[in-house]
Amino acid sequence: MSATDTAHLAEPRPADIRVEAVLAALSDPVRLSIVRTLAADEVGSRPCGSFGLAVGKSTASHHFRVLREAGVIEQWREGAAKLSSLRRADLEARFPGLLDAVLAPAAVA
Amino acid sequence: MSATDTAHLAEPRPADIRVEAVLAALSDPVRLSIVRTLAADEVGSRPCGSFGLAVGKSTASHHFRVLREAGVIEQWREGAAKLSSLRRADLEARFPGLLDAVLAPAAVA
């Protein structure tokens, strides 16, 4: 969560996160790689430009937005940067085990 | 599995089941309801016409095909009927916990 709420981009409340939207958001390889990077990241949040995605900036923005609108990630602005982090606790509370199952090593192969 | 291999419709081998395809297949409400019905079904297999889906026959066929091609269900012909069952063991071996997480009560709400 950002220090200022106004810098926080719109996202669904935990109770409004729908499993179909989460599954759709995770069904794309680029979006799955974003989620894997965030899940592996000890810092917990990252600027959008730091993911090393093999797509252009506007396509990347689209993928971040799909993840945010599904409730998978949160995004906020800090100065000129837009940061993202995984809504791990919200997802775990709503759909226990789902994120871990998707991110399990077998699912990478 | 059908008694005759020729009656079995094409599907990916377990090792070829991709998590993105499974997630995409499960991200649709109609397809999710098909999977929930099969998962709750003690018989284990059902004719396509018995799911009580609120969509036309060709749309239903499309949804069954998406699920089969993703590796989520298997389908085979028995006489004039086309039967479906969940590939629960294949999915569990490939992505442990994924199906249970998607089908958990919280994910229904």
Side-chain angles (χ1 to χ4, degrees):
Chain A
M1 183 79 76
S2 166
T4 55
D5 275 353
T6 50
H8 213 85
L9 279 71
E11 64 186 29
R13 291 172 302 178
D16 293 332
I17 299 177
R18 292 169 41 249
V19 71
E20 292 90 342
V22 171
L23 295 171
L26 297 175
S27 69
D28 177 271
V30 172
R31 294 195 293 267
L32 207 46
S33 84
I34 292 171
V35 171
R36 287 203 177 103
T37 299
L38 288 172
D41 203 343
E42 291 188 9
V43 180
S45 68
R46 273 184 174 259
C48 292
S50 74
F51 286 79
L53 303 174
V55 296
K57 191 176 175 184
S58 71
T59 302
S61 288
H62 161 76
H63 287 307
F64 281 100
R65 190 175 67 246
V66 170
L67 287 168
R68 174 168 51 80
E69 291 179 349
V72 177
I73 67 170
E74 54 187 327
Q75 291 185 285
W76 64 96
R77 296 180 197 283
E78 281 188 18
K82 195 188 284 181
L83 284 98
S84 300
S85 75
L86 198 56
R87 294 180 66 181
R88 188 187 274 280
D90 288 337
L91 290 170
E92 187 60 23
R94 189 106 174 86
F95 312 117
L98 179 58
L99 196 62
D100 284 341
V102 170
L103 298 176
V108 180
Chain B
M1 181 79 79
S2 166
T4 55
D5 274 354
T6 50
H8 213 84
L9 279 72
E11 65 186 28
R13 291 172 302 177
D16 293 332
I17 299 176
R18 292 169 42 249
V19 72
E20 292 91 342
V22 171
L23 296 171
L26 297 175
S27 70
D28 177 90
V30 173
R31 294 196 291 269
L32 207 47
S33 83
I34 292 171
V35 171
R36 286 202 178 105
T37 300
L38 287 173
D41 203 342
E42 292 189 8
V43 180
S45 67
R46 274 183 172 257
C48 291
S50 74
F51 285 79
L53 303 175
V55 296
K57 191 175 174 182
S58 71
T59 301
S61 288
H62 161 75
H63 288 307
F64 281 101
R65 190 175 66 247
V66 171
L67 287 168
R68 174 168 51 81
E69 291 178 350
V72 176
I73 67 170
E74 53 188 327
Q75 291 185 287
W76 63 96
R77 296 183 196 282
E78 282 188 17
K82 196 188 285 182
L83 285 99
S84 299
S85 76
L86 199 55
R87 294 180 66 180
R88 188 187 273 280
D90 289 337
L91 291 170
E92 187 58 25
R94 190 107 173 87
F95 312 118
L98 179 58
L99 195 61
D100 284 342
V102 171
L103 297 177
V108 180

